[in-house]
Amino acid sequence: MMNRLATIVLVSLCASATAFAPCQSSKYVSVSRNLRESSLYSSSFGEADEPVIAEEGRNPDRPELPEIKGDYNWDEKFAGDQDWLTENVPGKMVLSDLELAAQATALSKIEDRCRKGRKLDDYDDARILGWTGRAETYNGRFAMFFIVVGLLTEYWTGITIPGQIEEMARVGGFIGPDF
């Protein structure tokens, strides 16, 4: 019974492991071959004598894709609008080599400054003792906690916060008994 259970577990483990492994099967080649033969797919590698006719509701430039509503030149449509920019738009501007070099220099300066800041933050995070950000954070949290504890103790017992400090000093032996 135990061998049978072990065999079942081993087979299911192997089956699940092979499901995620990359496969070099010929079935994927046939899928791509069927895709090329599809009427939705157009390619410049096909026969040149067959005209590509886009079906209704398909993109005429790429018949394998659906038609995009409003796929037109936005610059022509909004050219008369005062807020529409058609010049110096990132991605459409043509920059000279000098301008590109100036941008690369400015970006490298920003990158160096950010790298120094990250190194300083990493150094500060790695420090345990001294005036570090972590120590200041813990100090602030403990102070807030003990202020709340002191106020709640004052509310429940009626002893003020200075009275509580005096009582703790007496209990701790820092102040002599009051006879």
Side-chain angles (χ1 to χ4, degrees), residues 65-140:
L65 298 175
E67 181 181 21
I68 300 173
K69 301 291 183 194
D71 188 19
Y72 46 86
N73 190 348
W74 292 91
D75 289 339
E76 289 178 9
K77 180 176 181 181
F78 294 106
D81 193 358
Q82 294 176 358
D83 297 332
W84 190 256
L85 300 174
T86 56
E87 299 158 354
N88 297 330
V89 177
K92 291 186 176 184
M93 301 187 312
V94 178
L95 300 175
S96 68
D97 291 338
L98 186 62
E99 291 171 326
L100 287 174
Q103 284 185 358
T105 304
L107 287 174
S108 65
K109 286 180 183 177
I110 293 171
E111 182 181 4
D112 290 340
R113 187 176 55 218
C114 291
R115 185 179 295 121
K116 287 178 185 176
R118 280 194 309 267
K119 284 183 180 179
L120 185 62
D121 290 342
D122 290 343
Y123 174 74
D124 190 34
D125 290 342
R127 286 179 43 200
I128 297 173
L129 299 173
W131 298 101
T132 64
R134 186 184 317 167
E136 291 294 321
T137 301
Y138 286 148
N139 188 19

